[in-house]
Amino acid sequence: MLIEQSAYSNRWRGVSPSAKGLFALFGLIAAFSASTPLAACVVAGLLAVTALLGARVLPSRLVRVAAPAFGFLLIGSVSLLVSPGFYAQGNLMVHWLPEGSGPFFKLVSRSAAALAALLFLVLTTPLIDLIALLRWLKMPEVLLELMIICYRMLFVFSEALHDTLTAQSARLGYATPRLALRSLGQLTAGLTLQIWSRAHDLHVAAQARNNDGPLRFLEPVFANTGRDLAIAAMGGAGLIFVAVMA
């Protein structure tokens, strides 16, 4: 929910999603065009600064959203640094790969820059605007409908989780480790049934309204789309220039 809170409350909420998407696309190109790990880190920093100072995204939200993805990236990249093996006696050994740390830093820096570009887009643009942009780009309707359904189910899941945790906490379900483990198991089982039931209710409600076509939303009108696209193109070109020349 942090992503949606930021997307609706940032200063660039009224900026055209096509401009923000174009800038994020240039950011991805710059990330993979970076000539050195330092250049990729500079691109990542510029994208983060743009989100923080330009769109006024809260630093705490940016860190909390980026931390899991960046941690997964670091763990997955460790295989580029070391390789496990066994001695003749059967003992485990870990040794550095002959390529050194170059591939590790190159992968991590480029991936961090690409992550910063994607986070800039999702933290400044609500999903409804992104879906409208994808529909304008002729994305297949079946994929858009899946995105909408998954988006709706996230809120259903969050509400069910909050209600169940509140009820269990009120009954001291987490007072001791033993009770907490039992409550966690009941929470998992209960959520499975609740989400399944609510998803079925959504499907029945859609059929009751003869909803056999694409799901539509009232799309906002952005008055300064041309100006926003020009600014985004210039900013994106600057990112690519920095990535190539740094």
Side-chain angles (χ1 to χ4, degrees):
M1 302 301 109
L2 290 174
I3 294 178
E4 282 301 293
Q5 291 175 2
S6 175
Y8 278 99
S9 62
N10 72 92
R11 191 173 69 169
W12 286 353
R13 170 67 179 87
V15 175
S16 172
S18 57
K20 290 181 282 190
L22 180 64
F23 184 72
L25 177 61
F26 274 109
L28 288 174
I29 295 175
F32 291 103
S33 302
S35 55
T36 62
L38 177 60
C41 291
V42 171
V43 171
L46 290 175
L47 288 165
V49 168
T50 303
L52 294 173
L53 300 183
R56 299 288 176 83
V57 175
L58 293 179
S60 58
R61 288 180 180 172
L62 178 60
V63 171
R64 290 175 63 183
V65 172
F70 191 72
F72 179 79
L73 169 63
L74 289 178
I75 294 174
S77 302
V78 170
S79 60
L80 297 177
L81 277 177
V82 297
S83 176
F86 292 92
Y87 289 107
Q89 297 82 3
N91 298 326
L92 178 65
M93 66 175 180
V94 177
H95 59 84
W96 293 92
L97 292 180
E99 293 82 0
S101 59
F104 172 80
F105 288 111
K106 189 174 183 179
L107 174 63
V108 170
S109 59
R110 285 185 172 182
S111 300
L115 175 64
L118 292 177
L119 288 181
F120 165 80
L121 179 62
V122 299
L123 289 174
T124 59
T125 312
L127 184 64
I128 301 304
D129 293 347
L130 289 177
I131 290 174
L133 176 61
L134 292 175
R135 179 171 283 124
W136 181 78
L137 294 174
K138 306 302 180 183
M139 180 70 69
E141 286 292 340
V142 62
L143 296 180
L144 298 180
E145 290 185 15
L146 287 174
M147 291 176 61
I148 295 171
I149 293 173
C150 292
Y151 176 70
R152 171 68 178 117
M153 290 309 300
L154 284 176
F155 290 94
V156 173
F157 176 79
S158 177
E159 181 183 2
L161 177 63
H162 178 267
D163 293 344
T164 306
L165 280 176
T166 301
Q168 289 181 333
S169 300
R171 295 180 176 87
L172 302 179
Y174 297 91
T176 65
R178 180 175 175 274
L179 288 176
L181 183 61
R182 180 182 178 184
S183 298
L184 182 61
Q186 294 175 343
L187 174 66
T188 304
L191 282 179
T192 302
L193 295 177
Q194 285 193 51
I195 297 302
W196 186 278
S197 175
R198 296 191 185 192
H200 177 69
D201 293 341
L202 285 175
H203 176 67
V204 172
Q207 286 186 329
R209 298 183 179 90
N210 295 324
N211 187 14
D212 56 352
L215 299 174
R216 297 284 181 175
F217 295 92
L218 183 62
E219 301 173 2
V221 178
F222 299 94
N224 301 312
T225 300
R227 181 201 65 184
D228 296 341
L229 284 172
I231 296 174
M234 290 187 293
L239 285 177
I240 296 178
F241 177 80
V242 170
V244 174
M245 301 302 296

